[in-house]
Amino acid sequence: MRPRATVVLDGFGVLESLRWHDGALWFCDLAHGTVHRWDTRGEPETVAEVPGRAGGLGWLPDGRMLVVSMDGHCVYRREPDGTLVVHADLKGVAGGPVNDMFVDRLGRAYVGNFGFDYHGFVRRQPNSMLYAPPGPPRTPLACFSPEGELLGLSEPLVFPNGLFLLDDERLTGEGPTLLVAETLAMRLTALTVLPDGRLGPPRPWAPLIPSALWRSLNHPGLLGRVTRRVSALLNHPAIADRSASPIAPDGIAPGKDGTAWVANALRGECVRVGPGGAILDRVSTSQRTLSCLVAGPDGNTLYAATTPTDDPVEAARVDGSRLEAYVLPS
């Protein structure tokens, strides 16, 4: 039996972007555009209401919070008096809603985006139809200076989503490395962080779909059409929850010994992955999982943000998103 997380908070739209900061768990509600802080006791407090739906979170070295506005195509900065001001502009970069964000120790912000109107697409047809050639649109990660100036763009990626920094050169062999979840490519990808903060070329880190299935899914002929139709049928929750593959990585977080915890957007689980794609641990959750983090007062709790739907319109109506937790064995 897989270990299972338990529900600790409930009744949100779409919980995302779990962060541990200043002794508390912080997170966004994408459906309602709010940012919350929870000290792991009692009820969470709402600390900001963000125009255009709140997305990724981070902090500058001086303690000011940065938060993504998904539909506003920008990053806001929260000033000490609580006001929000535009910190970085992605209107010329993002081809769809702006997504997750990682802010490093120097205050440089790495920000992803959907690349297209994903929810508009899947409201009309199954997700698997995205893989009909030429496949999902690609889009870059944007890197901003601590002052909010655009430093550069990565090479285009497939739905760049959760990200964090692997900065132990003994583990990476490449110097500081940004690990990013390419959700629709079902893989984790590594990009070296250059001295000026820009990103080097992407390189494979962990494929999360069997190579034969990936080739079939993207095939331009009959094989591809059949695979995409079958995949649409298998995406039913009752079937998907009984499957172990593939894994669509949404939020990701550091694990021990240079591994990564992955929130699986296809089903209710968090998965610990090693370089090359080895599956090391699995923890079940009650719903599809969009973000994960190992944190807490003792630093040993796996938190997971789960939801019955990631469609922001439907999610705001249902308010079924949960925060779940599992204490990892020592």
Side-chain angles (χ1 to χ4, degrees), residues 72-315:
H73 288 187
C74 69
V75 176
Y76 282 109
R77 185 179 66 245
R78 186 173 184 262
E79 296 298 324
D81 64 359
T83 58
L84 297 176
V85 298
V86 174
H87 178 77
D89 188 347
L90 287 97
K91 291 183 177 64
V93 175
V98 182
N99 203 9
D100 215 337
M101 173 176 65
F102 173 79
V103 181
D104 70 11
R105 298 185 190 96
L106 300 177
R108 297 180 301 207
Y110 298 87
V111 191
N113 73 93
F114 288 18
F116 67 108
D117 181 7
Y118 170 76
H119 289 114
F121 183 95
V122 297
R123 286 169 188 148
R124 299 189 304 270
Q125 52 190 311
N127 176 86
S128 61
M129 298 307 157
L130 282 164
Y131 298 97
R138 293 172 177 255
T139 189
L141 285 169
C143 174
F144 294 96
S145 74
E147 295 74 36
E149 298 175 355
L150 182 65
L151 295 176
L153 303 175
S154 74
E155 292 184 17
L157 302 167
V158 184
F159 207 99
N161 205 335
L163 54 173
F164 70 85
L165 192 67
L166 286 167
D167 57 3
D168 188 337
E169 294 188 21
R170 296 171 300 171
L171 299 173
T172 67
E174 299 279 350
T177 296
L178 193 70
L179 200 63
V180 57
E182 290 188 86
T183 302
L184 294 181
M186 289 173 276
R187 64 191 176 207
L188 302 184
T189 297
L191 302 94
T192 299
V193 180
L194 304 176
D196 62 1
R198 293 179 300 115
L199 297 171
R203 62 185 188 274
W205 196 83
L208 299 173
I209 182 173
S211 57
L213 177 56
W214 181 246
R215 289 193 299 270
S216 298
L217 193 62
N218 292 274
H219 195 278
L222 177 61
L223 175 61
R225 293 194 295 274
V226 171
T227 302
R228 290 187 287 274
R229 291 293 179 187
V230 172
S231 296
L233 295 174
L234 296 179
N235 197 40
H236 189 281
I239 300 174
D241 286 347
R242 289 169 171 78
S243 174
S245 177
I247 295 167
D250 196 317
I252 60 174
K256 60 184 179 181
D257 302 325
T259 61
W261 278 102
V262 173
N264 189 354
L266 290 179
R267 62 188 67 90
E269 65 175 359
C270 295
V271 184
R272 190 166 70 91
V273 177
I279 305 302
L280 305 172
D281 291 296
R282 291 186 122 109
V283 174
S284 295
T285 62
S286 66
Q287 306 177 108
R288 295 165 55 193
T289 311
L290 303 186
S291 184
C292 60
L293 182 68
V294 178
D298 298 318
N300 64 344
T301 301
L302 174 66
Y303 292 102
T306 74
T307 185
T309 175
D310 61 4
D311 185 306
V313 176
E314 178 67 9

